Amino acid sequence: MLGAITSGRIADIVGRKGAMRISACFCITGWLAVYFSNGSLLLDIGRFFTGYGIGVFSYVVPIFIAEIAPRNLRGLLTTLNQLLIVTGSSVAYIIGSIIPWRILALTGLVPCVLLLVGLCFVPESPRWLAKVGLDKEFQVALRKLRGKDADITREAAEIQVYILTLRSLPKASIRDLFKSKYIRSVIIGVSLMVLQQFVGINGIGFYTSETFVQAGLSSGKLGTILYACVQVPITVVGAFLMDKSGRRPLIMISAAGTFLGCFLAGTSFFLKGQNMFLDWVPVLAVGGILIYIAFFSIGFGAVPWVIMSEIFPINIKGVAGSLVVLVNWSGAWAVSYTFNFLMSWSSSGTFFIYSAFSVITVLFVAKFVPETKGKTLEQIQASINKS
């Protein structure tokens, strides 16, 4: 959450690449602290540093991808970020059951080092360069991204006109987010992040093994591995659908599927509590959770981040993005913290609550969220302000 609060300002001051470098250094420091810890203090410090780094990453990476991608590939490329997050978590689920946790901490250094090296070969965001007045570097970066033979004249002109308009605007503060011209974008971004978390993804994900055991399985390890393996191929499908089906249909289908998965899991625990159809309880629980994660991965996991990276004007993107990411991580904390308490209160009720939020998501997206597929960031701003 602290990383989320500061991420926008950091990315605006030192650039998108600079923010990613800072985040990588925090994560490297954190994982080393975890590895060398002999007590809880150093372990907590390590977790604090890695948490801060991930909080910054979670804002900067989708923003950077959206700003460098051509409009026809923006959804696909932003979803690939989610795909690789899912792949990493799935690998960690599997190897974490095989190797000691100290060695697992060391594996966290690998992507950080690769990122620091890789950033040396990646251009900075052209939109950020134009925003801070580095016009020559802006042209070079855009040319490098689009290819030496590509005609960048029109795209460069659109970005320059948009930046000139933004320069005439005062510097944004948190209070500016509540102005009439920005409030719709803020409501959409915040609401999508709240709904993404309140369908229960972090509670269900963190306690998958315990949930399967509670449903009647002898061991939760197999179910956990299945959970991890389902995420990757389904997220691949979602990545290719992002720029074909559009954001709105994908997230509504995804939310409908998470409703079904939670409803089945909730029904399984209800039947267990009533001592009815006990042979079906584990089947419904495992099936429901696997359906849930499959449909979450196909859209709900990535689409809110894609839309978040598209709907905010660049002059408020820093402060608005920080707010939205803060809301996301606050929701993640609230759901993961309350999951055990809710399960102790009522296992079936917990999943029925999550299914209700899935229904709310479908209604909210149908009513308020615009389609952003195939539009430039500038066109998206114009469509939101007209509505």
Side-chain angles (χ1 to χ4, degrees):
M1 288 189 279
L2 186 60
I5 293 171
T6 57
S7 59
R9 288 298 185 195
I10 292 173
D12 283 346
I13 293 169
V14 302
R16 295 9 178 175
K17 286 175 63 177
M20 285 188 276
R21 287 191 178 103
I22 291 171
S23 299
C25 291
F26 267 95
C27 289
I28 288 171
T29 304
W31 287 126
L32 289 174
V34 170
Y35 177 76
F36 288 110
S37 62
N38 290 316
S40 60
L41 178 61
L42 197 56
L43 189 64
D44 286 339
I45 291 172
R47 292 290 289 158
F48 179 85
F49 272 75
T50 55
Y52 182 82
I54 294 301
V56 175
F57 270 135
S58 60
Y59 164 76
V60 174
V61 172
I63 291 294
F64 178 70
I65 294 171
E67 290 182 349
I68 68 172
R71 74 178 78 173
N72 62 313
L73 294 176
R74 192 172 60 240
L76 171 62
L77 292 176
T78 308
T79 308
L80 285 178
N81 173 48
Q82 182 68 22
L83 170 62
L84 294 174
I85 290 172
V86 166
T87 303
S89 66
S90 297
V91 170
Y93 262 118
I94 295 168
I95 67 173
S97 62
I98 301 171
I99 64 175
W101 61 266
R102 288 186 191 274
I103 305 301
L104 185 65
L106 284 183
T107 65
L109 298 176
V110 176
C112 298
V113 173
L114 288 175
L115 179 69
L116 286 175
V117 174
L119 284 173
C120 298
F121 305 96
V122 176
E124 179 58 273
S125 162
R127 284 179 169 84
W128 180 80
L129 291 170
K131 180 189 173 188
V132 296
L134 299 173
D135 294 330
K136 182 180 178 182
E137 291 83 351
F138 157 69
Q139 294 284 344
V140 171
L142 190 59
R143 170 69 65 193
K144 188 173 181 180
L145 286 165
R146 299 295 179 259
K148 62 180 180 179
D149 297 323
D151 182 7
I152 62 170
T153 307
R154 182 176 178 181
E155 184 177 8
E158 287 178 351
I159 293 173
Q160 290 282 26
V161 168
Y162 189 58
I163 295 298
L164 287 172
T165 303
L166 293 176
R167 282 178 181 168
S168 65
L169 300 173
K171 190 175 180 180
S173 66
I174 192 71
R175 286 176 294 182
D176 292 324
L177 299 182
F178 299 98
K179 293 182 177 178
S180 58
K181 59 183 173 181
Y182 302 135
I183 190 65
R184 180 177 168 85
S185 295
V186 173
I187 289 172
I188 292 169
V190 168
S191 299
L192 286 177
M193 291 303 179
V194 169
L195 293 168
Q196 183 197 54
Q197 291 301 328
F198 277 63
V199 297
I201 183 60
N202 278 295
I204 294 171
F206 291 158
Y207 295 100
T208 303
S209 180
E210 291 87 341
T211 303
F212 286 155
V213 171
Q214 191 172 340
L217 293 181
S218 57
S219 171
K221 184 171 288 189
L222 176 60
T224 302
I225 293 173
L226 286 172
Y227 177 101
C229 293
V230 163
Q231 289 186 92
V232 177
I234 297 298
T235 306
V236 171
V237 174
F240 286 101
L241 289 175
M242 183 71 70
D243 283 317
K244 293 186 181 296
S245 67
R247 284 50 154 165
R248 276 167 48 92
L250 196 58
I251 196 170
M252 286 192 285
I253 291 170
S254 180
T258 58
F259 163 78
L260 176 61
C262 283
F263 187 80
L264 291 175
T267 300
S268 74
F269 284 108
F270 177 79
L271 293 175
K272 183 183 179 183
Q274 301 298 317
N275 288 316
M276 297 169 59
F277 305 106
L278 295 181
D279 291 340
W280 283 93
V281 168
V283 176
L284 285 174
V286 173
I289 289 175
L290 293 181
I291 289 171
Y292 171 89
I293 191 58
F295 275 93
F296 185 92
S297 299
I298 206 170
F300 225 147
V303 173
W305 293 104
V306 174
I307 293 176
M308 183 274 288
S309 69
E310 295 174 326
I311 61 174
F312 296 124
I314 198 167
N315 65 309
I316 67 159
K317 193 167 280 188
V319 64
S322 294
L323 172 65
V324 168
V325 177
L326 172 63
V327 168
N328 184 274
W329 286 113
S330 300
W333 171 80
V335 170
S336 56
Y337 184 77
T338 58
F339 184 80
N340 277 333
F341 297 110
L342 287 172
M343 289 291 282
S344 299
W345 162 69
S346 171
S347 299
S348 59
T350 302
F351 284 95
F352 289 145
I353 289 172
Y354 295 155
S355 66
F357 277 103
S358 297
V359 174
I360 293 171
T361 301
V362 174
L363 299 175
F364 177 81
V365 172
K367 179 69 175 175
F368 297 107
V369 178
E371 182 55 71
T372 59
K373 182 190 78 167
K375 297 178 182 177
T376 66
L377 301 183
E378 292 74 26
Q379 288 170 339
I380 293 169
Q381 295 311 311
S383 68
I384 289 177
N385 289 333
K386 284 180 184 177
S387 22

